[in-house]
Amino acid sequence: EHHEEWKNGGRLMSLLLGINIILLGCALVSGGAFHEVAVVEREVLSYLTVLMGLTGCWMVIYLVWTARHKNSVMLKDSHAGPVWLRAGAVLFGVCTLVLVVLKIGKSVTLIHCESPLKIVHPVIQGVFVVIQTYFLWVASQDCAQIHLNRTRFGLMLTLSTNLTVWIAAVTDESLHQSVHEEDPHSGPKAAVGDCGCETEICSSFETGYYYLYPFNIEYSLFASAMSYVMWKNVGRIMSHNSHDTHHAFKAQNHIVGLVFGIAVLVSGLAVFIVYEIEVNSEETRSQALTMFYIFNIVALGLMSVSPLAASITYRLSKRDMDSHKNPTRTLDVALLIGAALGQFFIAYYSIVAVIAVSPGHLHDTLNLIYSILMIVQHLLQNVFIIEGLHRKPLHEEHEEHHHNYPHDHDKDFNEVYINPIATVSGEVSTHEHLNELDVKPPHGSVTHSTVQHVRADHKTRLVKEISLFLLLSNIIFWIMPAFGARPQFENGLELKFYGYPMWIAIVNIGLPFGIFYRMHAVASLVEVYIIS
Amino acid sequence: EHHEEWKNGGRLMSLLLGINIILLGCALVSGGAFHEVAVVEREVLSYLTVLMGLTGCWMVIYLVWTARHKNSVMLKDSHAGPVWLRAGAVLFGVCTLVLVVLKIGKSVTLIHCESPLKIVHPVIQGVFVVIQTYFLWVASQDCAQIHLNRTRFGLMLTLSTNLTVWIAAVTDESLHQSVHEEDPHSGPKAAVGDCGCETEICSSFETGYYYLYPFNIEYSLFASAMSYVMWKNVGRIMSHNSHDTHHAFKAQNHIVGLVFGIAVLVSGLAVFIVYEIEVNSEETRSQALTMFYIFNIVALGLMSVSPLAASITYRLSKRDMDSHKNPTRTLDVALLIGAALGQFFIAYYSIVAVIAVSPGHLHDTLNLIYSILMIVQHLLQNVFIIEGLHRKPLHEEHEEHHHNYPHDHDKDFNEVYINPIATVSGEVSTHEHLNELDVKPPHGSVTHSTVQHVRADHKTRLVKEISLFLLLSNIIFWIMPAFGARPQFENGLELKFYGYPMWIAIVNIGLPFGIFYRMHAVASLVEVYIIS
């Protein structure tokens, strides 16, 4: 019981620490951003550098602790830090490293007029990213059992450092873009102020690293999510009865979903490439936008209808829900709902802008339909995934249903059960034999059972097809924003309506969440596919 | 089990509905605020009117349902909707009604040039506030057991309506103030645009209702908090073993805390009144600010030291922690931490501004100290309150300690136990009598026990004194911002640093939370006082 007290104490204290780090960062960054003279830029950079340095040191210490206590109990939460999250962290981490190198390069060419902090900061950031990526890869499943409170503080420090870096990156990027968009002919020099790039190589460094900003933003989000899960898991003792059913992920039986999904994926890739080429020249931009919106509307339409169909199927085949507490699932659901807010945000702002201006251009109307469908699709898909995650796996349920009958072969029941018709008929006939032998209903009853089972099988199959289709189409909806499609800027309407810094900030805050949502949805759909 | 499924389904769906209502409202309001032509003002008003109308209808329907099913089980959560919250809702509700009347008055005088929506909207708002205040007063403790899902949707509608109204009010107020502050000589006419006030009476209506805005903002926050608790409570079945120990709140035994608390309260009131009078004239403003800051720094210093002392006392007298799940307490803790964010936000932004500008004026330095102390005070007080709420009441603990002994008079044990020394000595002697009669340690043991008990009593007394002191001083820190002290605007530094709309938005968002925090802290401190 005393242990509990300290658990809450440590949680509370570390939470308060985290809140204060983030708020101070937030105030510093917005002070730097909104004040005409960048008088606090130095402070922002020092703050970030100190935070990253501290976090880096802590992570090294943690790794040393873990290595030293390898023999002690080191529980793992197998649901935390799934492969897609860790791989994503590595991918975005590498991109961030490239960004850091470009930043250092630029600062070195400007060494004559800029403060040395501009070199120290990216160097520390590089070291930090390397350590953190390794740390997340190795330790993201740990449920720390030693140094509980110190680990809580360390993880909260990691979380708040990443969020502060995220806030700083979003603000930086928004300011840069708004300067760039407002006056596209002035080039990158206007963004820097008195100490601007004058050489060719410096400018190319600068252009390069602004392209990589989205990956840096995404990296911070990933690291935050993973360190939050680790923080929640500190001191948790896993119950080992959560059977790790490693179903093979076999898609070959579900041709329809596979074919439709691949069709959307491939056509989406084609549309995306054409769009990226055409949107940059003035004369083809309108055409590119129209094509892009039409593809999106068709695909989103399909992706809205299919989870709706699956949800209706759920209603028809009532299966028991798994209402046990499951922290990982709760977190999954919260992340799905929370990350969807990003796209909701953008979509609602677009809708308001289009309705208020009501310009009547073709691609503004398309933009309206696209935004509405985006919201509808997220809603329906979330309902489908969340309900899917809460359903009991099929085999478990059958186990429960038949538990009432006493079976001698209880242990190998599952293996026998693989052929459903055999089992059902066997059971029914045993019953019937006991009561009456000569009357002939048994055959009819067996057929009825079998038909029901086959019908349930059809439903399961439908759900599996749909999840496969959604899974594949979510991939293309991840690829398009992640690799630079920004119709929100290119159509120009919202930029004009809300003004530069505001709309850019909305998109820069919302879109990374949208990208995170798509990746998370793909992972959850795999799970739904397996459970169904 | 099937019931569980629907519970989650209804929760999820209503949550998604609420999110969408709020986001659409947010987009509409910021569309109206940031666009140069107020083209969407009509849409914002219609949206708010429709929302309030729907919510009002729903609340009437709910009241009819409840009245009709009076005989069916209607469980109450006695911890939800405490008196301070309900009374606050009524108080702020009345102020909002006055505001509504002033708004209607202004719109009627401007009927020749404004749309009738400007009259319909406040009328509906008035009706809505009346119904909602009654609804919250009557139903805030209900744990609805009939029409579960419909109630969830209705409460979520209430919650999101209130939050949307809150967003709209905050934005309105910030825009109004920023127009007013930037150009104080132009008067209120500039805020309205082409259809401004021209008569005396219209202007006084307008000036009046802008004074009442803070109450409206606070009212929406209160209503949101209460409807959120009701939403969480839908379908909850209360366990009745949570003994409602109605301790009398007797303060007369704790003179020191009482005296110090009243001293802070009274001197705070005096300072506040002088400040409000002096701050409005140019020549005495600086002096008023200095006085105000010095009082705040002294008071906050005392209010930081005392919870720190109490926390140390906690460490010294280890008492068992109550680690049972308690949803009301969890919510209380979350609200304390969450509402403190408002002041943190303001304080960090002030700190950054002062440090970045480093003006060296006396009242800027005082502002810096004040902001830092504000953060420290919130942190220490939160830690103290939260730890206090988690400690087991003294009598319960003793009960548990002694449960090992078989007692015949188990039922009336509590009554006997009122005199602790009598019981302890009685018990020890019984024991001793059983083992050895002639040896004399019993007396020593009794004395030792008594000394320990007296020492524990001293500690309890100290904690009680401190909670009483904090309770009284939190009241003055509630009164000052609630009734219009705004040193954040009057010192002028942050306004210059962050620019008008931004700093006003920060204060208008943060301060209502800060006011809410103080009220909530007072209520929680009463509880801590009773438990200790």
Side-chain angles (χ1 to χ4, degrees), chain A residues 1 5 12 19-20 23-24 30 34-35 40 321 337 341 344-345 348-349 356 379 383 392 497 502, chain B residues 1 5 12-13 19-20 23-24 30 34-35 40 321 337 341 344-345 348-349 356 379 383 392 497 502:
Chain A
E1 213 162 5
E5 166 198 11
L12 174 65
I19 287 172
N20 281 288
L23 285 179
L24 180 54
S30 35
F34 288 89
H35 195 52
V40 284
M321 301 301 274
I337 297 178
L341 289 182
F344 283 177
F345 222 58
Y348 274 117
Y349 275 84
L379 285 176
V383 170
K392 279 199 179 152
F497 187 75
M502 183 177 169
Chain B
E1 213 163 6
E5 165 197 11
L12 174 65
M13 296 292 188
I19 288 173
N20 281 286
L23 286 179
L24 179 54
S30 36
F34 287 90
H35 195 52
V40 283
M321 301 301 273
I337 297 179
L341 289 182
F344 284 177
F345 222 59
Y348 274 119
Y349 275 83
L379 284 177
V383 169
K392 280 199 178 150
F497 187 74
M502 185 179 168

Short mmCIF file of all heavy atoms in Angstrom, two decimals, chain A residues 1 5 12 19-20 23-24 30 34-35 40 321 337 341 344-345 348-349 356 379 383 392 497 502, chain B residues 1 5 12-13 19-20 23-24 30 34-35 40 321 337 341 344-345 348-349 356 379 383 392 497 502:
data_model
loop_
_atom_site.label_atom_id
_atom_site.label_comp_id
_atom_site.label_asym_id
_atom_site.label_seq_id
_atom_site.Cartn_x
_atom_site.Cartn_y
_atom_site.Cartn_z
N GLU A 1 0.83 -1.20 0.00
CA GLU A 1 0.00 0.00 0.00
C GLU A 1 0.88 1.26 0.00
O GLU A 1 0.54 2.24 -0.64
CB GLU A 1 -0.90 -0.02 1.23
CG GLU A 1 -2.25 0.63 0.96
CD GLU A 1 -3.28 0.22 1.99
OE1 GLU A 1 -2.92 -0.48 2.94
OE2 GLU A 1 -4.43 0.59 1.83
N GLU A 5 1.26 4.71 -2.63
CA GLU A 5 1.37 6.13 -2.30
C GLU A 5 2.48 6.77 -3.13
O GLU A 5 2.31 7.79 -3.77
CB GLU A 5 1.70 6.30 -0.83
CG GLU A 5 2.15 7.71 -0.51
CD GLU A 5 2.88 7.79 0.83
OE1 GLU A 5 3.22 6.74 1.39
OE2 GLU A 5 3.11 8.90 1.29
N LEU A 12 2.50 12.31 -9.90
CA LEU A 12 2.04 13.69 -9.78
C LEU A 12 3.19 14.66 -9.98
O LEU A 12 3.12 15.60 -10.78
CB LEU A 12 1.41 13.88 -8.40
CG LEU A 12 1.00 15.30 -8.05
CD1 LEU A 12 -0.11 15.75 -8.97
CD2 LEU A 12 0.55 15.39 -6.61
N ILE A 19 4.56 19.51 -17.18
CA ILE A 19 3.69 20.64 -17.54
C ILE A 19 4.48 21.94 -17.54
O ILE A 19 4.38 22.77 -18.45
CB ILE A 19 2.51 20.73 -16.55
CG1 ILE A 19 1.52 19.60 -16.80
CG2 ILE A 19 1.82 22.07 -16.66
CD1 ILE A 19 0.44 19.51 -15.76
N ASN A 20 5.32 22.11 -16.51
CA ASN A 20 6.05 23.37 -16.41
C ASN A 20 7.10 23.53 -17.51
O ASN A 20 7.27 24.61 -18.05
CB ASN A 20 6.67 23.48 -15.02
CG ASN A 20 5.64 23.92 -14.01
OD1 ASN A 20 5.22 25.06 -14.02
ND2 ASN A 20 5.18 23.00 -13.19
N LEU A 23 5.13 24.42 -20.67
CA LEU A 23 4.57 25.78 -20.69
C LEU A 23 5.66 26.83 -20.83
O LEU A 23 5.49 27.80 -21.58
CB LEU A 23 3.76 26.02 -19.43
CG LEU A 23 2.41 25.33 -19.39
CD1 LEU A 23 1.71 25.62 -18.08
CD2 LEU A 23 1.55 25.79 -20.55
N LEU A 24 6.77 26.63 -20.14
CA LEU A 24 7.85 27.60 -20.29
C LEU A 24 8.34 27.62 -21.73
O LEU A 24 8.55 28.69 -22.32
CB LEU A 24 9.00 27.26 -19.33
CG LEU A 24 10.20 28.20 -19.38
CD1 LEU A 24 9.78 29.64 -19.19
CD2 LEU A 24 11.24 27.83 -18.33
N SER A 30 6.65 31.34 -28.28
CA SER A 30 5.74 32.35 -28.84
C SER A 30 6.27 33.75 -28.58
O SER A 30 6.01 34.64 -29.38
CB SER A 30 4.31 32.19 -28.35
OG SER A 30 4.26 31.76 -27.04
N PHE A 34 6.30 36.07 -31.88
CA PHE A 34 5.38 37.16 -32.10
C PHE A 34 5.99 38.54 -31.84
O PHE A 34 5.39 39.55 -32.13
CB PHE A 34 4.13 36.97 -31.23
CG PHE A 34 3.27 35.88 -31.73
CD1 PHE A 34 3.45 34.58 -31.32
CD2 PHE A 34 2.28 36.14 -32.67
CE1 PHE A 34 2.67 33.56 -31.81
CE2 PHE A 34 1.50 35.12 -33.16
CZ PHE A 34 1.69 33.83 -32.73
N HIS A 35 7.14 38.54 -31.26
CA HIS A 35 7.76 39.84 -31.00
C HIS A 35 8.52 40.27 -32.25
O HIS A 35 9.17 39.45 -32.89
CB HIS A 35 8.71 39.70 -29.81
CG HIS A 35 9.11 41.02 -29.26
ND1 HIS A 35 8.19 41.97 -28.91
CD2 HIS A 35 10.32 41.54 -28.99
CE1 HIS A 35 8.83 43.03 -28.47
NE2 HIS A 35 10.12 42.79 -28.51
N VAL A 40 14.37 37.00 -28.08
CA VAL A 40 14.44 35.81 -27.24
C VAL A 40 14.88 34.57 -28.02
O VAL A 40 14.84 33.47 -27.50
CB VAL A 40 13.08 35.53 -26.57
CG1 VAL A 40 12.85 36.47 -25.42
CG2 VAL A 40 11.96 35.58 -27.55
N MET A 321 -18.90 -8.70 -26.51
CA MET A 321 -17.85 -7.70 -26.48
C MET A 321 -16.89 -8.03 -25.34
O MET A 321 -17.30 -8.52 -24.29
CB MET A 321 -18.46 -6.31 -26.24
CG MET A 321 -19.46 -5.90 -27.28
SD MET A 321 -18.80 -5.88 -28.93
CE MET A 321 -18.11 -4.23 -28.99
N ILE A 337 -8.87 8.59 -31.60
CA ILE A 337 -9.79 9.73 -31.52
C ILE A 337 -9.00 11.04 -31.50
O ILE A 337 -9.34 12.00 -32.19
CB ILE A 337 -10.69 9.61 -30.29
CG1 ILE A 337 -11.57 8.36 -30.41
CG2 ILE A 337 -11.55 10.84 -30.13
CD1 ILE A 337 -12.46 8.12 -29.23
N LEU A 341 -8.48 14.37 -34.56
CA LEU A 341 -8.79 15.79 -34.36
C LEU A 341 -8.01 16.68 -35.31
O LEU A 341 -8.50 17.72 -35.74
CB LEU A 341 -8.45 16.21 -32.92
CG LEU A 341 -9.36 15.68 -31.82
CD1 LEU A 341 -8.91 16.23 -30.49
CD2 LEU A 341 -10.79 16.06 -32.09
N PHE A 344 -9.86 16.80 -38.52
CA PHE A 344 -11.13 17.48 -38.26
C PHE A 344 -10.93 18.99 -38.26
O PHE A 344 -11.69 19.74 -38.86
CB PHE A 344 -11.68 17.07 -36.90
CG PHE A 344 -12.31 15.72 -36.86
CD1 PHE A 344 -12.78 15.21 -35.67
CD2 PHE A 344 -12.44 14.96 -38.00
CE1 PHE A 344 -13.37 13.96 -35.61
CE2 PHE A 344 -13.02 13.70 -37.95
CZ PHE A 344 -13.49 13.21 -36.75
N PHE A 345 -9.91 19.39 -37.53
CA PHE A 345 -9.58 20.79 -37.39
C PHE A 345 -9.43 21.44 -38.76
O PHE A 345 -10.10 22.43 -39.08
CB PHE A 345 -8.25 20.88 -36.64
CG PHE A 345 -8.23 21.94 -35.61
CD1 PHE A 345 -9.15 21.94 -34.58
CD2 PHE A 345 -7.27 22.94 -35.64
CE1 PHE A 345 -9.13 22.93 -33.61
CE2 PHE A 345 -7.24 23.91 -34.67
CZ PHE A 345 -8.18 23.91 -33.67
N TYR A 348 -12.79 21.36 -40.84
CA TYR A 348 -13.82 22.32 -40.44
C TYR A 348 -13.43 23.74 -40.82
O TYR A 348 -14.28 24.53 -41.25
CB TYR A 348 -14.09 22.23 -38.94
CG TYR A 348 -15.11 21.17 -38.61
CD1 TYR A 348 -14.78 20.08 -37.82
CD2 TYR A 348 -16.40 21.25 -39.10
CE1 TYR A 348 -15.72 19.10 -37.53
CE2 TYR A 348 -17.34 20.28 -38.82
CZ TYR A 348 -16.98 19.22 -38.02
OH TYR A 348 -17.91 18.26 -37.75
N TYR A 349 -12.16 24.08 -40.66
CA TYR A 349 -11.75 25.42 -41.06
C TYR A 349 -11.91 25.62 -42.56
O TYR A 349 -12.33 26.69 -43.01
CB TYR A 349 -10.31 25.69 -40.61
CG TYR A 349 -10.22 26.19 -39.18
CD1 TYR A 349 -10.21 25.30 -38.12
CD2 TYR A 349 -10.18 27.55 -38.90
CE1 TYR A 349 -10.16 25.75 -36.81
CE2 TYR A 349 -10.13 28.01 -37.59
CZ TYR A 349 -10.12 27.11 -36.56
OH TYR A 349 -10.08 27.55 -35.26
N ALA A 356 -18.21 30.58 -46.30
CA ALA A 356 -18.28 32.02 -46.09
C ALA A 356 -17.97 32.79 -47.37
O ALA A 356 -18.63 33.77 -47.69
CB ALA A 356 -17.31 32.43 -44.98
N LEU A 379 -14.80 9.62 -39.01
CA LEU A 379 -15.78 9.20 -38.01
C LEU A 379 -16.15 7.74 -38.20
O LEU A 379 -16.07 6.94 -37.25
CB LEU A 379 -17.04 10.05 -38.12
CG LEU A 379 -16.95 11.47 -37.57
CD1 LEU A 379 -18.25 12.21 -37.82
CD2 LEU A 379 -16.67 11.43 -36.08
N VAL A 383 -15.26 4.54 -35.70
CA VAL A 383 -16.29 3.71 -35.07
C VAL A 383 -16.06 2.25 -35.41
O VAL A 383 -16.10 1.37 -34.54
CB VAL A 383 -17.69 4.18 -35.52
CG1 VAL A 383 -18.75 3.20 -35.07
CG2 VAL A 383 -17.98 5.55 -34.96
N LYS A 392 -14.75 -9.78 -29.18
CA LYS A 392 -13.93 -10.92 -28.76
C LYS A 392 -13.52 -11.70 -30.00
O LYS A 392 -14.32 -11.88 -30.91
CB LYS A 392 -14.75 -11.83 -27.85
CG LYS A 392 -14.78 -11.32 -26.44
CD LYS A 392 -15.17 -12.40 -25.49
CE LYS A 392 -15.15 -11.84 -24.09
NZ LYS A 392 -16.07 -12.52 -23.19
N PHE A 497 -8.43 33.63 -46.79
CA PHE A 497 -9.51 33.87 -45.82
C PHE A 497 -8.97 34.07 -44.41
O PHE A 497 -9.36 35.00 -43.72
CB PHE A 497 -10.49 32.70 -45.86
CG PHE A 497 -11.71 32.92 -45.02
CD1 PHE A 497 -12.71 33.78 -45.45
CD2 PHE A 497 -11.88 32.27 -43.82
CE1 PHE A 497 -13.85 34.00 -44.69
CE2 PHE A 497 -13.02 32.48 -43.05
CZ PHE A 497 -14.01 33.34 -43.50
N MET A 502 -1.88 32.31 -39.66
CA MET A 502 -2.86 31.50 -38.95
C MET A 502 -3.16 30.20 -39.69
O MET A 502 -3.13 29.13 -39.12
CB MET A 502 -4.16 32.28 -38.75
CG MET A 502 -5.13 31.46 -37.95
SD MET A 502 -6.63 32.35 -37.62
CE MET A 502 -7.64 31.02 -36.98
N GLU B 1 -23.29 -8.10 -19.95
CA GLU B 1 -22.13 -7.85 -20.81
C GLU B 1 -22.56 -7.06 -22.05
O GLU B 1 -21.84 -6.21 -22.54
CB GLU B 1 -21.50 -9.17 -21.22
CG GLU B 1 -20.00 -9.06 -21.38
CD GLU B 1 -19.34 -10.42 -21.38
OE1 GLU B 1 -20.05 -11.43 -21.36
OE2 GLU B 1 -18.10 -10.46 -21.41
N GLU B 5 -21.36 -3.22 -23.82
CA GLU B 5 -21.08 -2.85 -25.20
C GLU B 5 -21.77 -1.55 -25.54
O GLU B 5 -21.17 -0.63 -26.07
CB GLU B 5 -21.60 -3.94 -26.13
CG GLU B 5 -21.67 -3.46 -27.57
CD GLU B 5 -22.55 -4.35 -28.44
OE1 GLU B 5 -23.28 -5.21 -27.89
OE2 GLU B 5 -22.50 -4.21 -29.65
N LEU B 12 -18.82 6.53 -26.98
CA LEU B 12 -17.99 6.88 -28.13
C LEU B 12 -18.73 7.81 -29.07
O LEU B 12 -18.22 8.87 -29.47
CB LEU B 12 -17.59 5.59 -28.85
CG LEU B 12 -16.85 5.77 -30.15
CD1 LEU B 12 -15.51 6.41 -29.90
CD2 LEU B 12 -16.67 4.43 -30.84
N MET B 13 -19.98 7.41 -29.42
CA MET B 13 -20.74 8.20 -30.38
C MET B 13 -20.99 9.61 -29.85
O MET B 13 -20.85 10.59 -30.58
CB MET B 13 -22.10 7.53 -30.64
CG MET B 13 -21.99 6.19 -31.28
SD MET B 13 -21.38 6.33 -32.95
CE MET B 13 -21.60 4.66 -33.50
N ILE B 19 -17.19 16.42 -30.04
CA ILE B 19 -15.97 16.93 -30.67
C ILE B 19 -16.32 17.71 -31.93
O ILE B 19 -15.81 18.81 -32.18
CB ILE B 19 -15.02 15.76 -31.00
CG1 ILE B 19 -14.41 15.20 -29.73
CG2 ILE B 19 -13.95 16.19 -31.97
CD1 ILE B 19 -13.60 13.95 -29.96
N ASN B 20 -17.24 17.16 -32.72
CA ASN B 20 -17.56 17.81 -33.98
C ASN B 20 -18.28 19.13 -33.78
O ASN B 20 -18.01 20.10 -34.49
CB ASN B 20 -18.36 16.85 -34.87
CG ASN B 20 -17.44 15.86 -35.53
OD1 ASN B 20 -16.72 16.20 -36.44
ND2 ASN B 20 -17.42 14.64 -35.04
N LEU B 23 -15.58 21.63 -32.66
CA LEU B 23 -14.65 22.03 -33.72
C LEU B 23 -15.31 22.93 -34.74
O LEU B 23 -14.72 23.92 -35.19
CB LEU B 23 -14.06 20.80 -34.40
CG LEU B 23 -13.01 20.06 -33.58
CD1 LEU B 23 -12.52 18.85 -34.33
CD2 LEU B 23 -11.85 20.98 -33.27
N LEU B 24 -16.55 22.59 -35.11
CA LEU B 24 -17.23 23.44 -36.08
C LEU B 24 -17.42 24.84 -35.49
O LEU B 24 -17.19 25.86 -36.15
CB LEU B 24 -18.58 22.82 -36.47
CG LEU B 24 -19.41 23.63 -37.47
CD1 LEU B 24 -18.61 23.93 -38.71
CD2 LEU B 24 -20.68 22.89 -37.85
N SER B 30 -13.49 31.47 -35.22
CA SER B 30 -12.24 32.10 -35.65
C SER B 30 -12.35 32.62 -37.07
O SER B 30 -11.68 33.59 -37.41
CB SER B 30 -11.04 31.17 -35.48
OG SER B 30 -11.36 29.87 -35.74
N PHE B 34 -11.07 36.42 -37.50
CA PHE B 34 -9.83 36.77 -38.17
C PHE B 34 -10.02 37.30 -39.57
O PHE B 34 -9.10 37.78 -40.19
CB PHE B 34 -8.89 35.56 -38.18
CG PHE B 34 -8.32 35.28 -36.84
CD1 PHE B 34 -8.95 34.45 -35.95
CD2 PHE B 34 -7.14 35.91 -36.45
CE1 PHE B 34 -8.42 34.22 -34.71
CE2 PHE B 34 -6.62 35.68 -35.20
CZ PHE B 34 -7.26 34.83 -34.32
N HIS B 35 -11.22 37.17 -40.07
CA HIS B 35 -11.44 37.66 -41.41
C HIS B 35 -11.78 39.14 -41.33
O HIS B 35 -12.50 39.56 -40.43
CB HIS B 35 -12.57 36.87 -42.05
CG HIS B 35 -12.64 37.06 -43.52
ND1 HIS B 35 -11.55 36.88 -44.33
CD2 HIS B 35 -13.65 37.42 -44.33
CE1 HIS B 35 -11.90 37.13 -45.57
NE2 HIS B 35 -13.17 37.45 -45.61
N VAL B 40 -19.01 36.00 -41.61
CA VAL B 40 -19.58 34.81 -41.00
C VAL B 40 -20.23 35.10 -39.65
O VAL B 40 -20.63 34.19 -38.95
CB VAL B 40 -18.53 33.70 -40.84
CG1 VAL B 40 -18.26 33.03 -42.15
CG2 VAL B 40 -17.28 34.22 -40.21
N MET B 321 -2.18 5.52 2.91
CA MET B 321 -2.86 6.24 1.86
C MET B 321 -4.07 5.42 1.42
O MET B 321 -4.04 4.19 1.42
CB MET B 321 -1.92 6.44 0.67
CG MET B 321 -0.66 7.18 1.01
SD MET B 321 -0.98 8.81 1.67
CE MET B 321 -1.09 9.75 0.15
N ILE B 337 -5.32 20.15 -11.25
CA ILE B 337 -4.13 20.27 -12.09
C ILE B 337 -4.46 21.04 -13.37
O ILE B 337 -3.72 21.93 -13.80
CB ILE B 337 -3.55 18.88 -12.42
CG1 ILE B 337 -3.10 18.21 -11.12
CG2 ILE B 337 -2.40 18.98 -13.39
CD1 ILE B 337 -2.55 16.83 -11.32
N LEU B 341 -3.37 25.19 -14.86
CA LEU B 341 -2.69 25.51 -16.12
C LEU B 341 -2.97 26.94 -16.56
O LEU B 341 -2.11 27.59 -17.14
CB LEU B 341 -3.14 24.56 -17.23
CG LEU B 341 -2.66 23.12 -17.13
CD1 LEU B 341 -3.14 22.33 -18.33
CD2 LEU B 341 -1.15 23.08 -17.06
N PHE B 344 -0.61 29.17 -14.77
CA PHE B 344 0.75 28.85 -15.24
C PHE B 344 1.02 29.53 -16.57
O PHE B 344 2.07 30.13 -16.79
CB PHE B 344 0.89 27.34 -15.46
CG PHE B 344 1.04 26.55 -14.21
CD1 PHE B 344 1.11 25.17 -14.25
CD2 PHE B 344 1.14 27.16 -12.97
CE1 PHE B 344 1.26 24.44 -13.10
CE2 PHE B 344 1.29 26.43 -11.82
CZ PHE B 344 1.35 25.07 -11.88
N PHE B 345 0.04 29.39 -17.45
CA PHE B 345 0.14 29.94 -18.79
C PHE B 345 0.45 31.43 -18.73
O PHE B 345 1.43 31.91 -19.30
CB PHE B 345 -1.21 29.73 -19.47
CG PHE B 345 -1.10 29.29 -20.88
CD1 PHE B 345 -0.43 28.12 -21.19
CD2 PHE B 345 -1.67 30.02 -21.90
CE1 PHE B 345 -0.33 27.71 -22.50
CE2 PHE B 345 -1.56 29.61 -23.21
CZ PHE B 345 -0.90 28.46 -23.50
N TYR B 348 3.96 32.16 -17.04
CA TYR B 348 5.15 31.91 -17.87
C TYR B 348 5.29 32.95 -18.97
O TYR B 348 6.40 33.39 -19.27
CB TYR B 348 5.10 30.49 -18.46
CG TYR B 348 5.66 29.46 -17.52
CD1 TYR B 348 4.89 28.43 -17.05
CD2 TYR B 348 6.98 29.53 -17.10
CE1 TYR B 348 5.40 27.49 -16.17
CE2 TYR B 348 7.51 28.60 -16.23
CZ TYR B 348 6.72 27.59 -15.77
OH TYR B 348 7.24 26.67 -14.91
N TYR B 349 4.16 33.33 -19.56
CA TYR B 349 4.25 34.35 -20.60
C TYR B 349 4.74 35.68 -20.03
O TYR B 349 5.54 36.37 -20.64
CB TYR B 349 2.90 34.52 -21.30
CG TYR B 349 2.71 33.53 -22.43
CD1 TYR B 349 2.25 32.24 -22.17
CD2 TYR B 349 3.02 33.85 -23.74
CE1 TYR B 349 2.10 31.32 -23.19
CE2 TYR B 349 2.87 32.94 -24.76
CZ TYR B 349 2.41 31.67 -24.48
OH TYR B 349 2.27 30.76 -25.50
N ALA B 356 12.84 39.00 -21.32
CA ALA B 356 13.30 39.40 -22.65
C ALA B 356 13.48 40.92 -22.73
O ALA B 356 14.46 41.39 -23.30
CB ALA B 356 12.31 38.93 -23.70
N LEU B 379 1.91 25.11 -7.48
CA LEU B 379 2.52 23.78 -7.42
C LEU B 379 2.44 23.22 -6.01
O LEU B 379 1.95 22.10 -5.79
CB LEU B 379 3.97 23.84 -7.87
CG LEU B 379 4.22 23.97 -9.37
CD1 LEU B 379 5.71 24.10 -9.63
CD2 LEU B 379 3.66 22.77 -10.10
N VAL B 383 0.18 20.03 -4.63
CA VAL B 383 0.77 18.83 -4.04
C VAL B 383 0.17 18.58 -2.67
O VAL B 383 -0.22 17.46 -2.33
CB VAL B 383 2.30 18.98 -3.97
CG1 VAL B 383 2.90 17.87 -3.13
CG2 VAL B 383 2.90 18.97 -5.35
N LYS B 392 -5.90 8.65 4.36
CA LYS B 392 -7.08 8.09 4.99
C LYS B 392 -7.48 8.95 6.18
O LYS B 392 -6.62 9.40 6.92
CB LYS B 392 -6.79 6.68 5.48
CG LYS B 392 -6.86 5.68 4.36
CD LYS B 392 -7.02 4.28 4.89
CE LYS B 392 -7.13 3.33 3.73
NZ LYS B 392 -6.60 2.03 4.05
N PHE B 497 4.73 43.67 -25.50
CA PHE B 497 5.63 42.62 -25.97
C PHE B 497 4.93 41.65 -26.91
O PHE B 497 5.45 41.31 -27.98
CB PHE B 497 6.20 41.86 -24.77
CG PHE B 497 7.26 40.87 -25.13
CD1 PHE B 497 8.53 41.30 -25.48
CD2 PHE B 497 6.99 39.51 -25.12
CE1 PHE B 497 9.51 40.39 -25.80
CE2 PHE B 497 7.98 38.60 -25.45
CZ PHE B 497 9.24 39.04 -25.78
N MET B 502 -3.12 38.99 -29.01
CA MET B 502 -2.57 37.75 -28.46
C MET B 502 -2.55 37.76 -26.93
O MET B 502 -3.00 36.82 -26.30
CB MET B 502 -1.15 37.53 -28.99
CG MET B 502 -0.64 36.18 -28.52
SD MET B 502 1.00 35.85 -29.13
CE MET B 502 1.40 34.43 -28.12
#
